[in-house]
Amino acid sequence: MTLDAQTPTLDHWIAGSPAAGDSSRTSPVYDPALGEVTKHVRLGSASDVDTAVAAARAAYAEWGRSSIAKRQTVMFAFRELLNARKGELAAILTSEHGKVLSDAAGEVARGLEVVEFACAMPQLTKGSHSLNVSTDVDVYSVKEPLGVVGIISPFNFPAMVPMWFFPIAIATGNTVVLKPSEKDPSVANWLAALLAEAGLPDGVFNVVHGDKEAVDALLEHPDVASISFVGSTPIARYVYEKGTAAGKRVQALGGAKNHMLVLPDADLDLVADAAVNAGFGSAGERCMAISVVLAVDPVGDALVEKVRDRMGKLVTGDGRGDADMGPLITREHRDKVAGYLDVAADDGATVVVDGRGVTPSGGAPDGFWLGPSLVDHVGTTSTVYTDEIFGPVLSIVRVASYAEGLELINGGQYGNGTAIFTNDGGAARRFQADVEVGMVGINVPIPVPVAYHSFGGWKSSLFGDAKAYGPSGVDFFTREKAVTARWLDPATHGGVDLGFPQNS
Ligand code: NAD
């Protein structure tokens, strides 16, 4: 796409200011509720990435050695500014992503939690000290920053996902190059400007916009110590393999297909509310969305009725108005998601609610609309079941027993989130132990851990050992150095001894 005079162009953010870089490539950014291009974003080249990494490396020389007190001052100031201006950020987010304002505000709030967690970094990075491990010998371990760290984020949480990582990375003394999604890039620049206002020195936080070219440049750059990636499973696998082959520390969080297992003793009104909230919130574009409800016989028919009733009251429309659910991110994605309704019918499932004819509240007819859709009796060989649809299409699969439901959950390639709904504490406890999924909800449909635990799935939902934020995040952004020290009294010097050191 070439630039035109009518639409603005979003620059990178390098060394404390906007930077055009040297690439002429750009990508259109839409307002999904209007279906209109509102700006273009630059697609950075390898040389733009190199410029940003050089700025981060230069800043690391001081920031990596800065006092804890200085880093905390910036973190607390950032927390205050973000809290005061979170509404502004939510509005930018909605204008490019499409999610409703209350949902955008919720996303910012979950990001703020991580900033608050990072404000406690002095406590979290104290290290450990053992006195007299041998006569007059002490051992202590310290946590040091890695250097320049790369973050690559997806479109669906343009504020929260970068905030899963950069507050912890910065508070532990690293400097950052963020490559946000090119589909909703403005949030990243807004956050960069706010960090600068909070007193963060130039070059500690940089943003390079772009696509595969910029991602590859980050993965290959010798001065980038680590990569934190969040996105779809094929790209997560690629990033993990390429990044680790280049010797980097990599955490790569991938896609999901989250199941909610409903036992016959569950409160079906609670279940129906939870299924609708978790299936259609953010138009299903959440990695923790519930996309499959496993209804254990005989509750299926009653549950489908309750879910259908609630869906009838949902308003789809412009996220700036009174809607419960906004549009999808692009026209291509909307069409792909809608296509699964045809697949469902072809594969013998029942399309109970078809969202393709939805009339949006507000927005424009050209917006990327798809109303909440419900498909019952989905077969487990259909791609409606096996693919991550990432849209407002909720599947109901009928199962005969807890064991059959569990087998389906554990048989899938993903292991991000899951939930069980039951009033039987023993069954819930057994599920917690039996299920091969990284985040488990018990009567909670979207079990996203709070900031002082860590977030991450299993299997193809996370490549690498480190989860996001929480204690795992602190470990990821620091490396431990163990020091063994002896300050000798010359009188006790043992002289030459070629034996392996032993403790005494
Ligand atoms: P995506 O994989 O298309 O893009 C993610 C990032 O990778 C973007 O910055 C994008 O520019 C870049 N990218 C895209 N194609 C690339 C390529 N060929 N080579 C190198 N880089 C490339 O994902 P998305 O559509 O932006 O986000 C939705 C996906 O993210 C879903 O699969 C969702 O489940 C997943 N997600 C996972 C989590 C989690 O915590 N596990 C959280 C949020 C989103």
Side-chain angles (χ1 to χ4, degrees):
M1 169 95 30
T2 50
L3 300 181
D4 60 55
Q6 279 78 43
T7 47
T9 302
L10 187 71
D11 286 335
H12 313 297
W13 180 280
I14 299 176
S17 9
D22 66 9
S23 161
S24 58
R25 290 193 312 128
T26 64
S27 181
V29 179
Y30 289 87
D31 182 324
L34 304 177
E36 280 173 8
V37 176
T38 56
K39 58 177 78 65
H40 292 95
V41 60
R42 296 194 187 277
L43 298 178
S45 62
S47 115
D48 295 332
V49 169
D50 191 47
T51 306
V53 172
R57 190 172 154 81
Y60 179 69
E62 273 199 27
W63 187 250
R65 290 169 177 272
S66 61
S67 71
I68 291 175
K70 180 171 169 64
R71 283 183 251 144
Q72 288 319 101
T73 302
V74 172
M75 237 354 104
F76 273 96
F78 180 62
R79 190 265 168 205
E80 290 305 297
L81 284 170
L82 186 54
N83 193 41
R85 291 172 54 187
K86 57 193 174 195
E88 205 180 303
L89 181 58
I92 296 170
L93 206 162
T94 292
S95 72
E96 291 184 359
H97 178 284
K99 65 177 72 176
V100 300
L101 270 176
S102 58
D103 192 29
E107 162 176 356
V108 174
R110 293 309 299 259
L112 245 178
E113 269 186 22
V114 183
V115 179
E116 286 162 0
F117 173 73
C119 286
M121 206 51 75
Q123 179 68 12
L124 296 164
T125 47
K126 280 197 302 195
S128 57
H129 199 131
S130 299
L131 275 181
N132 283 328
V133 296
S134 186
T135 307
D136 291 335
V137 177
D138 301 334
V139 172
Y140 49 97
S141 299
V142 294
K143 290 174 188 286
E144 296 187 351
L146 307 181
V148 179
V149 301
I151 300 170
I152 301 161
S153 54
F155 82 83
N156 67 319
F157 286 113
M160 182 184 77
V161 165
M163 280 196 274
W164 280 356
F165 304 109
F166 75 72
I168 297 176
I170 289 173
T172 48
N174 300 281
T175 57
V176 175
V177 178
L178 166 65
K179 205 301 286 173
S181 170
E182 64 278 31
K183 294 183 180 124
D184 43 15
S186 296
V187 161
N189 288 45
W190 190 92
L191 287 167
L194 202 73
L195 282 162
E197 202 177 323
L200 192 71
D202 293 349
V204 175
F205 183 78
N206 307 276
V207 178
V208 177
H209 295 290
D211 53 9
K212 179 171 167 49
E213 188 174 335
V215 169
D216 283 346
L218 269 178
L219 294 174
E220 285 160 9
H221 203 295
D223 290 338
V224 173
S226 73
I227 296 288
S228 301
F229 172 91
V230 181
S232 58
T233 286
I235 311 296
R237 185 181 282 115
Y238 168 80
V239 164
Y240 183 74
E241 288 173 357
K242 197 171 167 75
T244 52
K248 301 183 195 318
R249 187 179 282 199
V250 181
Q251 51 181 175
L253 286 76
K257 187 87 182 178
N258 306 313
H259 294 55
M260 174 196 272
L261 180 61
V262 182
L263 300 194
D265 71 337
D267 174 339
L268 286 194
D269 285 307
L270 175 73
V271 172
D273 286 344
V276 169
N277 295 343
F280 304 116
S282 201
E285 292 173 325
R286 288 180 182 147
C287 65
M288 290 293 274
I290 289 293
S291 49
V292 179
V293 174
L294 297 172
V296 176
D297 292 339
V299 299
D301 289 347
L303 182 58
V304 167
E305 274 319 302
K306 285 178 186 289
V307 170
R308 192 221 303 253
D309 278 356
R310 286 159 172 79
M311 288 172 67
K313 297 182 187 111
L314 293 179
V315 176
T316 303
D318 191 325
R320 290 158 286 221
D322 61 351
D324 300 299
M325 196 185 98
L328 295 185
I329 184 73
T330 58
R331 187 178 311 286
E332 296 69 33
H333 187 56
R334 181 261 169 222
D335 292 347
K336 185 173 171 218
V337 173
Y340 281 100
L341 295 169
D342 288 330
V343 174
D346 291 348
D347 288 353
T350 312
V351 179
V352 180
V353 182
D354 186 332
R356 283 176 287 195
V358 73
T359 306
S361 164
D366 275 351
F368 311 140
W369 304 112
L370 180 64
S373 303
L374 183 64
V375 188
D376 192 10
H377 295 290
V378 174
T380 54
T381 54
S382 170
T383 53
V384 175
Y385 178 74
T386 54
D387 288 2
E388 180 185 32
I389 296 177
F390 219 57
V393 177
L394 183 63
S395 296
I396 309 279
V397 175
R398 310 290 186 105
V399 291
S401 62
Y402 165 90
E404 189 184 338
L406 181 75
E407 198 178 321
L408 281 176
I409 299 173
N410 286 351
Q413 67 156 318
Y414 301 109
N416 211 40
T418 190
I420 187 169
F421 277 72
T422 178
N423 279 310
D424 179 342
R429 192 164 187 274
R430 185 172 147 203
F431 181 74
Q432 174 196 315
D434 290 346
V435 79
E436 291 165 16
V437 171
M439 293 172 282
V440 180
I442 296 174
N443 297 321
V444 172
I446 305 193
V448 174
V450 287
Y452 35 98
H453 288 258
S454 296
F455 180 105
W458 287 9
K459 304 200 281 188
S460 295
S461 295
L462 171 61
F463 300 91
D465 300 325
K467 293 185 164 199
Y469 65 78
S472 197
V474 177
D475 285 346
F476 184 82
F477 286 116
T478 55
R479 49 186 170 176
E480 205 168 87
K481 188 177 273 174
V483 181
T484 303
R486 173 163 61 172
W487 294 101
L488 272 185
D489 176 348
T492 63
H493 193 294
V496 173
D497 177 356
L498 301 193
F500 195 68
Q502 295 188 27
N503 300 324
S504 55

